[in-house]
């Protein structure tokens, strides 16, 4: 039976939601941006009018305003976007019990059992309902696999349905730039370009041995995607992906110039990831640290722990040790990130350390659980470590709210 997969993408999602609540801005170029005063001043999304001026997602606010002096910049309201995201997802589940999210504004739906014509009709119906019920427009791709459905939703924006039938792949898909394919990021695109692989068709027809030499096992996977051979399932709406890592990174109000700056930020981030580990019932056996220099180049390293932990002090001391050994000579830095991997349940039995201070460890766990309770009731700033009070600007940072996932780079 031929699969019928939809990919729905909410157009200019953050900006569209903001314009619903600010109707006076609907005919103006609008961008939702980070906080420039906190040095997070980039464009997160923009509306069609801003796009027509050449404003791009990810560029600095000052760059966007050079292109569009009348650009209206709004701060993000993530709780509001989450509410609309949940409403859209509830709409999708009226048509399928297999609905897999891909970020706040994108979802796959599995309509296998329907024809492609019926899939297009349902896609058009979903678009109409989203427009009428939520004031949000969608672009929807219809194909026999997730990769091409995503490609279809990107082809026509805004408010359109694109069907990619298997027989139309050579005509519609193969001539497209290879960078349009999901999971082909800028680095992979440059490496493929060095071999003259410029289109999706070039990638689909390239020899496996060449791709494996260039990209390792990912080469064969990307070739299968380009050829339309993706068979990955759309996960059930009730499925929750188990966490493989817990991380956070942030850009402080000023560049990190000294070890004291680094120590403040590392403890703030360690508190954030440790609290999330405890909240989700995990311990970690591996700590990664990432630093970004003032040229926006990222460097990272990691260390394994002798014993799984979810204590702030254990995570912070390991991260500080990594920083001092690898990065202390390279100041200044723009940002730092900490990631905890090799996760295990905190309910698993552990071997007691008879050479260490087990009583102190238990006492620290009780203390941190108490701090978690206080912060849930009264806010993050109700309890602060002395190390972060050495700089008032750091003391104002709340990494639990200013959450930026730590990324180790493109695979």
């Amino acid at each position: 039976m031929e699969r019928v997969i939809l990919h729905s993408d909410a157009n200019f999602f953050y900006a569209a939601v903001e314009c619903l609540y600010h109707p006076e801005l609907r005919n103006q170029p609008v961008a939702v941006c980070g906080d420039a005063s906190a040095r997070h001043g980039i464009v997160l999304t923009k509306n069609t009018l801003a796009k027509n001026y050449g404003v791009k997602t990810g560029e600095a606010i000052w760059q966007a305003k050079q292109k569009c002096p009348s650009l209206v910049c709004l701060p993000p309201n993530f709780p509001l976007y989450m509410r609309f995201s949940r409403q859209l997802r509830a709409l999708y589940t009226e048509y399928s019990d297999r609905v897999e999210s891909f970020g706040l504004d994108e979802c796959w739906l599995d309509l296998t059992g329907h024809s492609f014509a019926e899939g297009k009709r349902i896609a058009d119906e979903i678009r109409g309902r989203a427009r009428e019920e939520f004031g949000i427009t969608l672009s929807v791709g219809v194909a026999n696999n997730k990769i091409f459905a995503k490609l279809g939703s990107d082809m026509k924006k805004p408010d359109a349905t694109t069907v990619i039938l298997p027989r139309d792949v050579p005509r519609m898909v193969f001539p497209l730039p290879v960078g349009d394919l999901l999971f082909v990021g800028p680095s992979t695109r440059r490496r493929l370009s060095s071999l003259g692989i410029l289109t999706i068709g070039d990638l689909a027809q390239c020899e496996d041995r060449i791709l494996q030499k260039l990209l390792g096992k990912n080469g064969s996977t990307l070739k299968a995607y380009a050829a339309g051979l993706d068979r990955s399932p759309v996960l059930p709406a009730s499925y929750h992906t188990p966490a493989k890592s817990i991380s956070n990174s942030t850009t402080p109000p000023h560049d990190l110039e000294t070890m004291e700056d680094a120590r403040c930020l590392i403890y703030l981030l360690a508190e954030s990831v440790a609290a999330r580990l405890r909240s989700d019932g995990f311990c970690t056996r591996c700590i990664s640290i990432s630093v970004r220099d003032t040229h926006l180049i990222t460097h990272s390293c990691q260390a394994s722990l002798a014993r799984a932990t979810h204590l702030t002090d254990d995570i912070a001391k390991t991260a500080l040790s990594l920083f001092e050994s690898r990065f202390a000579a390279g100041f200044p830095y723009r940002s730092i990130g900490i990631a905890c991997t090799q996760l295990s349940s905190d309910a698993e039995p552990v071997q007691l350390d008879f050479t260490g201070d087990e009583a102190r460890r238990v006492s620290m766990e009780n203390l941190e659980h108490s701090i978690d309770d206080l912060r849930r009731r009264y806010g993050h700033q109700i309890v602060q470590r002395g190390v972060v009070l050495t700089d008032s600007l750091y003391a104002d940072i709340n990494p639990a709210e200013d959450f930026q996932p730590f990324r180790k780079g493109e695979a």
Side-chain angles (χ1 to χ4, degrees), residues 104-243:
L104 284 182
D105 56 342
E106 302 181 44
C107 277
W108 282 289
L109 294 76
D110 192 333
L111 298 181
T112 300
H114 295 277
S115 66
F116 278 105
E118 186 68 5
K120 181 182 184 304
R121 185 197 67 77
I122 291 173
D124 289 339
E125 182 176 315
I126 289 173
R127 286 195 301 109
R129 289 188 60 184
R131 187 170 55 249
E132 295 299 321
E133 295 175 23
F134 309 125
I136 299 293
T137 63
L138 308 175
S139 291
V140 183
V142 184
N144 68 352
N145 65 79
K146 291 165 67 175
I147 301 297
F148 282 1
K150 162 69 174 167
L151 194 65
S153 70
D154 289 337
M155 284 184 175
K156 296 178 185 177
K157 293 179 182 291
D159 201 13
T161 298
T162 302
V163 180
I164 302 177
L165 298 173
R167 66 172 181 267
D168 294 330
V169 168
R171 174 180 60 85
M172 293 181 65
V173 174
F174 284 178
L176 296 174
V178 71
D180 287 358
L181 192 70
L182 187 62
F183 302 125
V184 176
S187 176
T188 299
R189 178 182 54 78
R190 287 192 294 269
R191 295 170 74 181
L192 291 171
S193 177
S194 70
L195 293 182
I197 301 172
L198 305 178
T199 67
I200 294 176
D202 293 339
L203 178 58
Q205 295 161 15
C206 187
E207 294 183 28
D208 278 334
R209 62 177 181 83
I210 295 176
L211 291 172
Q212 288 177 2
K213 184 176 181 180
L214 182 69
L215 301 173
K217 64 180 181 180
N218 288 335
S220 297
T221 301
L222 290 178
K223 177 180 177 177
Y225 289 165
L229 301 179
D230 168 44
R231 304 304 298 171
S232 59
V234 177
L235 299 175
S238 59
Y239 180 83
H240 295 284
T241 305

Side-chain angles (χ1 to χ4, degrees), residues 10 30 47 82 93 134 142 161 165 230 257 271 277 290 293-294 296 333 349-350 353 355 358 364 366 390 401 408:
V30 173
N47 66 0
M82 286 288 291
T93 57
F134 309 125
V142 184
T161 298
L165 298 173
D230 168 44
E257 301 280 356
E271 278 202 320
L277 283 168
S290 164
D293 63 26
T294 52
L296 303 184
Y333 291 107
V350 296
D353 181 6
T355 63
E358 197 63 30
M364 288 300 297
N366 292 336
T390 58
E401 292 181 359
K408 293 181 70 175

Side-chain angles (χ1 to χ4, degrees), residues 23-46:
E24 73 278 7
L25 300 179
R26 288 178 181 174
N27 296 318
Q28 298 185 48
V30 173
V32 176
C33 306
D35 184 357
S37 65
R39 306 201 313 151
H40 301 156
I42 64 170
V43 175
L44 302 176
T45 190
K46 72 284 180 191

Side-chain angles (χ1 to χ4, degrees), residues 304-380:
S304 296
L305 303 177
R307 173 177 175 170
T309 186
H310 54 202
L311 293 178
T312 297
D313 216 38
D314 294 342
I315 295 169
K317 286 180 177 178
T318 302
L320 273 170
S321 176
L322 286 169
F323 187 94
E324 288 178 324
S325 63
R326 295 290 296 275
F327 307 123
F331 286 107
Y333 291 107
R334 182 173 174 82
S335 64
I336 292 180
I338 292 178
C340 299
T341 56
Q342 297 183 24
L343 304 184
S344 59
S345 171
D346 61 6
E348 291 182 4
V350 296
Q351 175 66 52
L352 297 181
D353 181 6
F354 292 107
T355 63
D357 189 347
E358 197 63 30
R360 180 181 180 279
R361 171 176 288 275
V362 172
S363 176
M364 288 300 297
E365 288 189 348
N366 292 336
L367 174 62
E368 296 216 354
H369 281 299
S370 297
I371 291 173
D372 293 340
D373 289 338
L374 286 169
R375 284 176 168 166
R376 275 192 293 269
R377 294 179 65 184
Y378 302 110
H380 182 84

